[in-house]
Amino acid sequence: MSIRYTFGGDEFLFAEISESMSLPAFFASMAITSKLRQLQWPGIVEICPANASFQLRFDPDILPAEQLLRQVQQLEQSLADSPQILDTRLVEIPVWYNDPWTREVGARFRQRHQDPQASDLEYAARVNGFASVDAFITAHSGSPWLVSMVGFVAGLPFMYQMVERDQQLQVPKYLSPRTATPRQTIGHGGCFACIYSVEGAGGYQMFGITPAPIYDPAQRQPYLADSMVLFRPGDLVRFKPIDQQQYQAAIQAVAEGRFALDIFPVRFSLPEFLANPEAYKQSLPGTHHAH
């Protein structure tokens, strides 16, 4: 895997690890950017990991561009054979699939959709070869997702499903963006899932909604006590289907500032996962063991 480096103006260095998203490319990005944070080189202003790339902002008066490039390339070489292990956490996110709010918004924007006669879930199920919406939801919630980057708007996670490549759920974005998307909508575009952290415009297909705030500057929920943003790159996520009654109970708990998420510490090994994704998925902690 050869990284392509390019400069953006006088203050940015962009590193493209791969033209397409893959778990090995993501791990290469995480290894380098995590090490850069530990090293705290004078002159590096900001470190921004992404799906299969990363970008550095630097102060050229402290760290000249060519020196930075040389040091990063040396770091890349030193980490080439490092263990592909990530100490992270698994976060279970409750989801009311096929909820009335995302259905209503979807209905308002059908003229911008590939299939105006179908709902987003019906369309996604059909183009992915599932016989029913329920079968699609089972696949969507049946395997964990990896948070590959956080951004676009505050707190929004992009997630890549941890399955064999030929099992990846893929669905195009709307033909043209909506001007509305409910806050905490579970979205999907290409091979990436997301959770809309705030209400606003959007183009991803809408599958459901979670009662769990994932971005809150007031930090009113216990799991947001340390940060107003829930997710960070490298988190694992499992979607947990809930019904209307469970959703309403959760919303009441959110209003009272006592909503809790199930979060488990995990040491994730990429080689072990790639050797047998299905067995590795079953070895992860969480409430799926209760079913």
Side-chain angles (χ1 to χ4, degrees):
M1 189 176 297
S2 177
I3 299 179
R4 182 168 60 185
Y5 295 94
T6 53
F7 287 105
D10 296 331
E11 298 181 0
F12 295 91
L13 175 63
F14 177 69
E16 183 184 50
I17 298 170
S18 172
E19 293 184 350
S20 61
M21 172 62 190
S22 70
L23 291 175
F26 170 77
F27 261 76
S29 171
M30 284 292 291
I32 295 172
T33 54
S34 296
K35 192 65 177 180
L36 284 170
R37 285 197 178 88
Q38 294 175 17
L39 293 171
Q40 297 186 349
W41 288 347
I44 290 186
V45 178
E46 188 173 6
I47 301 170
C48 183
N51 296 323
S53 63
F54 64 89
Q55 181 166 276
L56 306 178
R57 184 182 181 189
F58 63 98
D59 184 341
D61 291 331
I62 299 175
L63 183 57
E66 292 304 322
Q67 180 183 338
L68 171 62
L69 177 59
R70 186 169 57 254
Q71 290 183 193
V72 173
Q73 288 176 320
Q74 291 171 348
L75 181 62
E76 173 196 343
Q77 293 299 318
S78 71
L79 295 173
D81 298 322
S82 60
Q84 294 175 305
I85 293 175
L86 183 65
D87 286 313
T88 184
R89 55 188 188 161
L90 186 148
V91 183
E92 291 195 334
I93 295 294
V95 180
W96 183 9
Y97 285 96
N98 209 13
D99 66 286
W101 299 285
T102 56
R103 286 206 314 269
E104 188 276 331
V105 171
R108 280 198 279 136
F109 291 94
R110 294 329 284 169
Q111 75 279 10
R112 305 186 184 194
H113 196 273
Q114 293 84 353
D115 186 350
Q117 306 305 315
S119 70
D120 289 11
L121 271 169
E122 290 168 343
Y123 173 69
R126 177 168 59 79
V127 300
N128 282 280
F130 291 93
S132 67
V133 165
D134 287 344
F136 178 81
I137 292 173
T138 297
H140 190 268
S141 59
S143 294
W145 299 72
L146 175 73
V147 176
S148 55
M149 61 178 286
V150 178
F152 185 68
V153 296
L156 186 152
F158 289 87
M159 295 170 280
Y160 183 79
Q161 196 168 30
M162 297 166 58
V163 295
E164 301 277 8
R165 183 172 286 271
D166 61 0
Q167 298 175 21
Q168 287 280 335
L169 301 176
Q170 298 198 44
V171 61
K173 295 186 290 187
Y174 275 43
L175 296 175
S176 61
R178 301 176 302 273
T179 55
T181 306
R183 179 171 173 253
Q184 292 161 208
T185 289
I186 308 303
H188 199 106
C191 66
F192 287 101
C194 79
I195 304 175
Y196 285 83
S197 53
V198 296
E199 182 179 1
Y204 278 25
Q205 308 284 338
M206 299 179 292
F207 296 159
I209 198 163
T210 178
I214 62 169
Y215 166 69
D216 180 8
Q219 299 179 247
R220 285 167 287 204
Q221 307 306 319
Y223 59 84
L224 294 174
D226 295 331
S227 172
M228 66 178 73
V229 172
L230 171 61
F231 292 110
R232 54 198 185 216
D235 278 343
L236 307 184
V237 175
R238 181 185 291 120
F239 294 123
K240 185 168 61 176
I242 60 174
D243 58 24
Q244 179 178 359
Q245 185 176 8
Q246 292 170 308
Y247 177 85
Q248 290 174 337
I251 287 295
Q252 182 63 36
V254 169
E256 296 170 358
R258 57 176 179 81
F259 185 66
L261 286 172
D262 291 320
I263 301 176
F264 307 90
V266 171
R267 167 160 281 201
F268 177 65
S269 167
L270 180 60
E272 291 181 18
F273 168 75
L274 293 177
N276 192 335
E278 184 61 27
Y280 198 85
K281 178 180 71 177
Q282 296 301 324
S283 73
L284 291 172
T287 56
H288 68 297
H289 291 300
H291 301 297

